[in-house]
């Protein structure tokens, strides 16, 4: 068992590591040649230029102002100075709400830590249960601070129950205030003066096929009839996935061509050569510049042909469209109502922000989404409960006797002391680390396969699965000390009432493990985040190998983004640990407080100076954050009940039954009261904004603003002539045309523009005599 000395040593090591990272960052950020690595957001916004354009060569690389090094820690107060409203304007609401998660952690755990150390720690410490226990019982001084030091059936358990109620009430109070605040911030943000295409646009899916009309004509006529006063324009969805792949391949070839041309310009005595095989490791040896030039010409022809096919082939048009309206009110009505008698057709939802659209998934047929999600659900189940199989395979190799039995000719090598130590001590750990590194990528691929249509939805789904994976395999797996499949097998064979007891018994024993986990992952990991070692190395490699112009240098910058799919589950895991151990082992709480405080400062700096968000969802992820904190609270209550059940506290344990019930009721209340602000847009707010905008901009050309907002980005590339030709075709398609349908049940009124085609209204009335 870890002692105070062991924890102290681990703390010193991690604190020193974190300080080294922070000191390295503080010095590296002052160097002019690193400016685009540590302040890329200001370059993207056009508010910053290269720090030195003239003077000595050394001054362009190294900061020679010695006085600046005396203020190398100024980045910390600077990161805290920007007001929240200015931060929202600078980085968006998503970034501001993300930072509030760390603030919520501080708001929740600062009072809880104070109460726990002032009341629970003395109550636990002043017992001698562990000292008077069996001599074979192994414990440390840290365990004397936990609930394990309370004797069986003691009345002191009342203190823990009262504290559990106090912690729950305080957590719910903070969550309710934050939910109300963030819901208000979201509505205010959406009603702000900044106009965005998604405020006027809905995504229509599952457009029914019609033998007489194209998808574009069908969408146009449907909305002219059913939303005649508010419909403005639409953009059908194209399956341009193959075209996007060709453009991506061409860009890659162009990067390599730039590299070889730059290499040749520096040394013209020899032409650069390359191999045409796999990864350039095999195949014929050819002139690299000529080969890539020919490849780019070939790809340009294929791109032109594919572009023409996409615009002319009806099969490349999906039964979906982005439909824009004249007012926000009209868009809100359409997005939040059922459009047809058949609830599976003409499905409408709010269109994501154009930057947020995940265009590849728009080509997935709607009918296949349910099957895809079922497949991924099953796959995630097996991933969660069998993830130890590849690790177990490596661990079986770590068995020296097994290796010698299977490969006796390796015995001479294996018997070397260093090799044996490496196989037994390092190989299993390396395998586990590698798997956990690739896990977020696997989960994101799963989300993409499911067919979500926007990046924010992809990240939210990946985050929920990452959190569940951590809960089962890191939290429960560490407590029970077995694979998730073994846990599942054990849980199946016992009654549901025994599961909290099984887990509860192991919770106090694992407090020291999670303390070391928090220090390694939370302290040193967060300090490593601000150093940005990987982007630093890649930027300088690109700058040396590829950069020829200022535009190339801008493209070499890698600002990155918040990474909600990986960052938020990490935060939620600390909420889980804090809430579970607040009553059981309060010694863990100060370590969590340090994590939240350090992470808040670091990520505030990153959001202000580095990260450039791919999209803006106006804090749409907050209900997921709230739900996971509530889930962690309920888990902590159930596990405390299970733990007290093993302490023969029969008189006190029943008083905890009300806690999960009240917590779930609180969640239902918040869901009903505040969640609509995250899934709907109030018609009152939309009407007010429309009225205000008409008064301020009576001559606004809204159609011109929305006409090309939702064109696939692949048609907004560098080939200006081709793009203008394509956009011209789109504009021709958007002109209203007379209906070609023989049966006019859906369009019993004439088109406002093409009124020459007069519908046969009497026929429509005869077909519906009941009307």
């Amino acid at each position: 068992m870890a002692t105070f000395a062991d924890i102290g040593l681990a703390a010193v090591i991690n604190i020193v590591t974190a300080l080294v990272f922070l000191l390295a960052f503080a010095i590296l950020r002052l160097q002019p040649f690193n400016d685009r690595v540590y302040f890329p957001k200001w370059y993207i916004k056009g508010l910053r230029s290269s720090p030195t354009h003239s003077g000595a060569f050394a001054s362009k690389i190294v900061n020679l102002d010695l006085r600046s090094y005396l203020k190398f820690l100024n980045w910390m107060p600077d990161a805290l100075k920007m007001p929240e409203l200015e931060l929202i304007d600078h980085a968006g609401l998503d970034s501001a709400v993300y930072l509030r998660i760390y603030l919520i952690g501080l708001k929740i755990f600062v009072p809880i830590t104070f109460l726990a150390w002032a009341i629970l720690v003395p109550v636990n410490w002043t017992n001698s249960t562990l000292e008077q226990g069996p001599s074979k019982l192994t414990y440390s001084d840290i365990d004397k601070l936990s609930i394990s030091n309370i004797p069986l059936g003691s009345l002191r358990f009342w203190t823990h129950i009262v504290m559990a109620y106090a912690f729950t009430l305080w957590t719910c109070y903070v969550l309710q205030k934050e939910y109300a605040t963030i819901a208000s911030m979201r509505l205010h943000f959406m009603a702000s003066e900044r106009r965005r295409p998604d405020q006027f646009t809905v995504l229509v899916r599952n457009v029914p096929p019609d033998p007489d009309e194209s998808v574009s004509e069908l969408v146009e006529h449907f909305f002219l009839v059913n939303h005649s006063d508010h419909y403005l324009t639409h953009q059908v969805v194209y399956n341009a996935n193959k075209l996007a792949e060709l453009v991506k391949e061409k860009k890659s070839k162009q990067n390599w061509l730039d590299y070889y041309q730059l290499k040749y310009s520096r040394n013209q005595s020899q032409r650069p050569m390359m191999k045409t095989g796999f990864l350039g490791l095999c195949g014929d040896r050819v002139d690299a510049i000529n080969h890539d030039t020919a490849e780019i010409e070939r790809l340009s022809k294929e791109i032109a042909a594919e572009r023409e096919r996409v615009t002319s082939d009806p099969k490349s048009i999906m039964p979906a469209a982005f439909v824009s309206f004249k007012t926000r009110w009209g868009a809100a009505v359409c997005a939040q109502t059922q459009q047809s008698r058949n609830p599976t057709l003409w499905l409408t939802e709010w269109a994501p922000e154009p930057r947020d659209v995940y265009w590849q998934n728009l080509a997935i047929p709607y009918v296949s989404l349910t099957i895809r999600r079922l497949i991924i659900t099953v796959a995630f189940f097996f991933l969660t409960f069998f993830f130890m199989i590849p690790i177990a395979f490596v661990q079986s190799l770590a068995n020296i006797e097994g290796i010698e039995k299977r490969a006796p000719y390796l015995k001479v090598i294996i018997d070397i002391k260093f090799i044996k130590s490496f196989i037994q001590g390092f190989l299993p750990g390396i395998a586990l680390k590698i798997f956990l590194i690739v896990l977020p990528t696997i989960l994101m691929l799963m989300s993409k396969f499911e067919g979500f249509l926007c990046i924010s939805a992809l990240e939210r789904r990946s985050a929920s699965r990452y959190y569940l994976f951590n809960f089962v395999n890191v939290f429960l797996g560490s407590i029970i000390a077995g694979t998730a499949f073994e846990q599942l097998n054990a849980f199946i064979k016992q009654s549901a009432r025994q599961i909290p007891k099984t887990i509860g018994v192991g919770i106090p024993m694992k407090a020291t493990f999670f303390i070391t986990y928090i220090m390694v992952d939370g302290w040193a990991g967060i300090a490593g985040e601000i150093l940005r070692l990987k982007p630093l190395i890649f930027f300088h490699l690109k700058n040396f190998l590829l950069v020829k112009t200022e535009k190339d240098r801008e493209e070499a910058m890698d600002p990155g983004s918040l990474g909600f799919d990986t960052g938020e589950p990490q935060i939620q895991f600390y909420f889980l640990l804090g809430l579970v151990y607040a009553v059981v082992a309060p010694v863990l709480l100060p370590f969590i407080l340090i994590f939240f405080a350090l992470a808040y400062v670091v990520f505030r700096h990153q959001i202000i100076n580095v990260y450039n968000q791919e999209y803006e969802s106006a804090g749409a992820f907050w209900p997921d954050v709230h739900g996971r904190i509530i889930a962690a609270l309920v888990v902590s209550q159930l596990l405390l009940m299970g733990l007290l059940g093993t302490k023969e506290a029969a008189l006190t344990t029943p008083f905890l039954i009300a806690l999960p019930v009240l917590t779930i009721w609180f969640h239902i209340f918040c869901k009903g009261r505040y969640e609509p602000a995250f899934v709907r847009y109030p018609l009152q707010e939309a009407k007010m904004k429309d009225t205000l905008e008409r008064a301020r901009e009576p001559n606004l050309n809204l159609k011109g603003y929305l006409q090309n907002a939702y064109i696939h980005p692949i048609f907004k590339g560098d080939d200006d002539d081709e793009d203008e030709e394509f956009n011209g075709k789109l504009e021709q398609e958007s002109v209203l045309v007379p209906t070609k349908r023989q049966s006019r049940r859906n369009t019993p009124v004439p088109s406002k523009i093409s009124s020459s085609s007069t519908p046969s209204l009497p026929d429509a009335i005869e077909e519906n005599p009941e009307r």
Side-chain angles (χ1 to χ4, degrees):
M1 301 293 289
T3 63
F4 278 119
D6 298 331
I7 295 296
L9 178 61
V12 168
I13 293 173
N14 285 282
I15 289 173
V16 169
T17 303
L19 289 177
V20 168
F21 287 156
L22 294 174
L23 183 62
F25 160 73
I27 295 174
L28 289 173
R29 67 185 285 271
L30 296 175
Q31 312 311 315
F33 71 107
N34 291 330
D35 207 53
R36 290 181 180 269
V37 177
Y38 294 113
F39 301 96
K41 189 161 192 172
W42 299 100
Y43 285 91
I44 293 173
K45 286 179 170 286
L47 300 175
R48 196 179 184 107
S49 58
S50 297
T52 307
H53 291 286
S54 60
F57 176 76
S59 63
K60 299 180 182 180
I61 299 178
V62 180
N63 186 350
L64 300 177
D65 183 7
L66 299 180
R67 289 176 298 177
S68 63
Y69 291 94
L70 300 177
K71 302 177 181 180
F72 66 93
L73 292 179
N74 276 9
W75 67 270
M76 290 186 177
D78 289 345
L80 301 174
K81 284 180 181 178
M82 183 179 286
E84 187 172 57
L85 290 178
E86 186 179 343
L87 180 69
I88 293 173
D89 185 63
H90 174 71
L93 186 61
D94 279 343
S95 299
V97 172
Y98 185 85
L99 285 175
R100 289 186 76 94
I101 304 176
Y102 294 105
L103 277 181
I104 292 170
L106 292 173
K107 290 178 182 179
I108 290 175
F109 288 113
V110 167
I112 286 178
T113 302
F114 176 78
L115 281 177
W117 277 81
I119 299 175
L120 289 179
V121 168
V123 169
N124 296 335
W125 180 265
T126 53
N127 285 277
S128 56
T129 302
L130 294 175
E131 295 176 353
Q132 296 175 0
S135 57
K136 63 180 181 180
L137 183 64
T138 302
Y139 68 93
S140 68
D141 289 340
I142 293 179
D143 296 313
K144 294 170 67 175
L145 299 176
S146 72
I147 200 172
S148 300
N149 203 30
I150 304 293
L152 299 179
S154 173
L155 293 178
R156 294 196 177 200
F157 287 123
W158 281 105
T159 306
H160 298 81
I161 291 177
V162 171
M163 286 295 100
Y165 271 91
F167 297 165
T168 297
L169 292 175
W170 173 249
T171 302
C172 291
Y173 172 78
V174 172
L175 287 177
Q176 188 271 331
K177 290 294 183 183
E178 287 297 322
Y179 216 146
T181 300
I182 294 173
S184 177
M185 290 170 61
R186 174 179 167 86
L187 291 176
H188 181 269
F189 180 82
M190 295 177 69
S192 63
E193 293 186 3
R194 184 171 57 180
R195 186 186 305 108
R196 300 196 315 177
D198 52 297
Q199 297 171 351
F200 300 88
T201 307
V202 300
L203 174 61
V204 183
R205 306 193 71 188
N206 223 24
V207 176
D210 190 285
D212 300 313
E213 292 189 332
S214 67
V215 172
S216 181
E217 294 167 343
L218 191 61
V219 169
E220 176 184 85
H221 292 142
F222 180 87
F223 284 94
L224 271 174
V225 172
N226 297 287
H227 297 270
S228 55
D229 294 331
H230 298 280
Y231 167 76
L232 181 62
T233 185
H234 72 279
Q235 173 59 59
V236 294
V237 173
Y238 288 88
N239 183 356
N241 291 350
K242 182 179 179 181
L243 179 59
E245 292 176 1
L246 291 172
V247 171
K248 182 179 179 181
E249 185 181 356
K250 179 183 175 182
K251 185 176 180 180
S252 175
K253 296 290 185 183
Q254 186 64 54
N255 287 338
W256 278 110
L257 179 60
D258 292 342
Y259 164 71
Y260 288 125
Q261 287 176 338
L262 186 60
K263 182 179 179 181
Y264 181 63
S265 66
R266 292 172 176 172
N267 180 17
Q268 297 187 4
S269 62
Q270 183 178 5
R271 297 276 293 185
M273 306 296 289
M274 64 173 291
K275 293 183 178 180
T276 58
F278 179 72
L279 296 177
L281 301 176
C282 57
D284 299 332
R285 188 174 177 83
V286 297
D287 184 287
I289 295 178
N290 293 339
H291 175 77
D292 284 340
T293 301
E295 285 293 298
I296 290 173
E297 292 177 357
R298 176 185 63 83
L299 288 170
S300 297
K301 294 178 181 178
E302 291 185 14
I303 288 172
E306 180 64 17
R307 188 188 295 262
E308 179 64 28
R309 188 195 67 80
V310 168
T311 58
S312 58
D313 185 2
K315 294 182 180 179
S316 66
I317 300 178
M318 304 304 298
F322 291 99
V323 180
S324 298
F325 295 81
K326 300 174 183 177
T327 61
R328 294 172 180 83
W329 189 91
V333 170
C334 181
Q336 298 164 183
T337 54
Q338 182 174 317
Q339 301 303 309
S340 71
R341 180 178 301 174
N342 186 341
T344 65
L345 300 176
W346 296 102
L347 303 176
T348 58
E349 59 184 279
W350 279 108
E353 184 196 9
R355 293 181 302 167
D356 193 16
V357 177
Y358 188 70
W359 297 94
Q360 290 90 323
N361 280 358
L362 287 175
I364 298 176
Y366 182 82
V367 293
S368 69
L369 293 181
T370 302
I371 298 174
R372 283 170 170 261
R373 289 173 187 176
L374 175 62
I375 292 172
I376 292 301
T377 300
V378 175
F380 178 69
F381 174 85
F382 284 101
L383 175 69
T384 302
F385 287 97
F386 290 95
F387 90 104
M388 287 298 291
I389 290 179
I391 309 303
F393 172 74
V394 176
Q395 289 176 337
S396 69
L397 294 179
N399 186 325
I400 300 299
E401 292 77 13
I403 296 177
E404 292 179 346
K405 184 177 180 180
R406 291 181 179 85
Y409 53 87
L410 296 177
K411 187 176 186 304
V412 177
I413 300 176
I414 292 175
D415 286 341
I416 299 174
K417 186 175 181 180
F418 173 77
I419 300 297
K420 181 181 290 187
S421 299
F422 176 80
I423 294 175
Q424 289 183 320
F426 289 95
L427 195 57
I430 291 173
L432 177 60
K433 186 66 177 177
I434 291 174
F435 185 82
L436 292 178
I437 287 174
V438 302
L439 177 63
T441 303
I442 295 174
L443 296 179
M444 180 56 73
L445 289 175
M446 285 183 166
S447 299
K448 290 177 179 178
F449 182 81
E450 283 185 282
F452 290 98
L453 301 179
C454 54
I455 301 172
S456 57
L458 291 172
E459 292 194 345
R460 290 200 298 271
R461 176 53 66 94
S462 296
S464 65
R465 291 209 166 109
Y466 198 0
Y467 176 73
L468 183 59
F469 187 94
N470 280 340
F471 175 75
V472 173
N473 288 300
V474 179
F475 182 70
L476 297 184
S478 300
I479 290 174
I480 301 179
T483 66
F485 186 71
E486 291 172 350
Q487 298 163 28
L488 180 65
N489 186 47
F491 290 162
I492 291 175
K493 293 182 179 179
Q494 59 182 307
S495 66
R497 293 181 302 172
Q498 296 299 318
I499 294 176
K501 291 184 179 181
T502 303
I503 303 174
V505 171
I507 287 177
M509 300 169 57
K510 293 296 181 179
T512 54
F513 167 78
F514 286 119
I515 288 174
T516 57
Y517 177 86
I518 292 169
M519 288 190 292
V520 173
D521 184 68
W523 296 6
I526 292 298
E529 157 70 26
I530 201 171
L531 184 59
R532 305 196 77 226
L533 190 58
K534 180 181 175 182
L536 178 69
I537 295 172
F538 275 82
F539 171 77
H540 287 300
L541 285 175
K542 291 178 181 179
N543 197 30
F544 177 74
L545 298 175
L546 298 175
V547 169
K548 293 186 293 184
T549 65
E550 193 66 21
K551 183 179 179 181
D552 294 336
R553 187 169 287 105
E554 290 180 3
E555 292 180 353
M557 290 190 305
D558 180 21
S561 59
L562 280 172
F564 181 83
D565 56 323
T566 55
E568 194 269 345
Q570 180 196 36
I571 308 172
Q572 293 295 337
F573 189 69
Y574 290 115
F575 275 105
L576 175 66
L577 294 179
L579 293 173
V580 167
Y581 280 96
V583 177
V584 175
V587 67
L588 179 137
L589 293 175
F591 298 89
I592 288 181
L593 282 182
I594 294 174
F595 161 76
F596 279 116
L598 178 62
Y600 176 72
V601 176
V602 167
F603 279 99
R604 212 173 200 276
H605 174 275
Q606 300 296 80
I607 284 171
I608 292 173
N609 299 297
V610 180
Y611 294 146
N612 185 42
Q613 279 300 94
E614 298 179 69
Y615 58 84
E616 177 58 60
S617 69
F621 57 81
W622 174 252
D624 296 336
V625 174
H626 174 87
R628 281 193 273 275
I629 297 177
I630 290 293
L633 197 57
V634 172
V635 167
S636 69
Q637 295 159 357
L638 295 177
L639 296 184
L640 179 61
M641 291 171 60
L643 179 59
L644 292 181
T646 66
K647 293 286 189 176
E648 300 180 6
L651 294 177
T652 54
T653 303
F655 286 90
L656 285 173
I657 296 176
L659 264 185
V661 176
L662 292 174
T663 304
I664 294 172
W665 173 85
F666 168 77
H667 176 60
I668 295 173
F669 164 77
C670 287
K671 189 177 181 67
R673 173 64 180 84
Y674 301 112
E675 189 172 327
F678 294 86
V679 294
R680 301 187 186 97
Y681 189 42
L683 296 181
Q684 182 185 27
E685 295 284 337
K687 195 71 173 179
M688 289 172 57
K689 180 59 181 172
D690 290 332
T691 303
L692 184 63
E693 188 172 73
R694 280 197 300 269
R696 291 181 174 176
E697 300 179 75
N699 299 321
L700 173 66
N701 181 13
L702 188 60
K703 185 172 184 179
Y705 173 71
L706 297 172
Q707 185 75 54
N708 297 330
Y710 283 94
I711 290 179
H712 197 296
I714 208 65
F715 300 115
K716 298 179 181 180
D718 298 328
D719 299 326
D720 297 332
D721 295 338
E722 294 179 357
D723 293 338
E724 289 177 4
E725 181 183 353
F726 174 75
N727 294 339
K729 291 183 179 181
L730 293 180
E731 291 175 2
Q732 290 176 6
E733 289 179 3
S734 66
V735 175
L736 300 181
V737 295
T739 180
K740 301 174 183 176
R741 190 186 299 107
Q742 298 300 319
S743 173
R744 301 176 182 270
R745 292 187 182 90
N746 292 336
T747 54
V749 296
S751 167
K752 285 187 175 182
I753 296 180
S754 54
S755 55
S756 58
S757 174
T758 306
S760 43
L761 187 58
D763 295 341
I765 295 175
E766 289 178 6
E767 293 171 356
N768 297 276
E770 69 276 12
R771 295 186 181 181

